[in-house]
Amino acid sequence: MYKNIEKQAKIQLKDQVAYQSGQVVSKTLVQNDAVSMTIFSFDKGEEISTHAAGGDAMVTVLEGTGRFTVGGEVFFLKAGETLIMPKDIPHAVYGEERFKMQLVVSY
């Protein structure tokens, strides 16, 4: 089920994806009909524009601070904080500063 990640080893999720200047970088760890799990890094000022997901999306910030707009409501999350973005509700993600997050979408 898991791919692109070392198994049976102690790791830091935030270390699984590097920052790249002017980019959003992602690394998919799980992708199937029931769930997807992806680690992202955002350079400051980079974003994923407004879209809706086909399942509930749970984000956990691993490092830095991100701005999440969900159904028109704005949330600022820092390392260790989690937010659920409900299925079919438009949302966007913006790098207030460089930050990393884990995204888990359940279908």
Side-chain angles (χ1 to χ4, degrees):
M1 179 176 285
Y2 285 92
K3 60 183 182 179
N4 302 320
I5 193 166
E6 188 175 358
K7 297 177 183 174
Q8 202 168 334
K10 182 178 174 180
I11 62 167
Q12 289 280 333
L13 285 177
K14 68 180 183 176
D15 295 339
Q16 300 304 302
V17 64
Y19 291 111
Q20 291 189 23
S21 181
Q23 294 188 37
V24 175
V25 179
S26 66
K27 182 177 184 179
T28 300
L29 304 181
V30 177
Q31 183 70 54
N32 60 46
D33 291 341
V35 67
S36 71
M37 182 187 304
T38 308
I39 306 297
F40 288 87
S41 69
F42 287 72
D43 196 14
K44 181 178 181 176
E46 294 301 313
E47 67 182 323
I48 296 176
S49 60
T50 303
H51 64 286
D56 288 337
M58 181 176 76
V59 293
T60 300
V61 172
L62 304 172
E63 180 175 86
T65 301
R67 181 178 76 207
F68 299 81
T69 304
V70 184
E73 190 174 354
V74 177
F75 301 86
F76 293 90
L77 275 70
K78 62 181 190 284
E81 295 179 327
T82 298
L83 175 68
I84 305 293
M85 300 180 293
K87 175 182 176 181
D88 299 328
I89 302 296
H91 58 271
V93 183
Y94 179 81
E96 286 292 314
E97 61 185 39
R98 282 185 148 192
F99 88 102
K100 295 180 182 181
M101 70 177 200
Q102 176 186 26
L103 170 67
V104 179
V105 182
S106 55
Y107 302 100

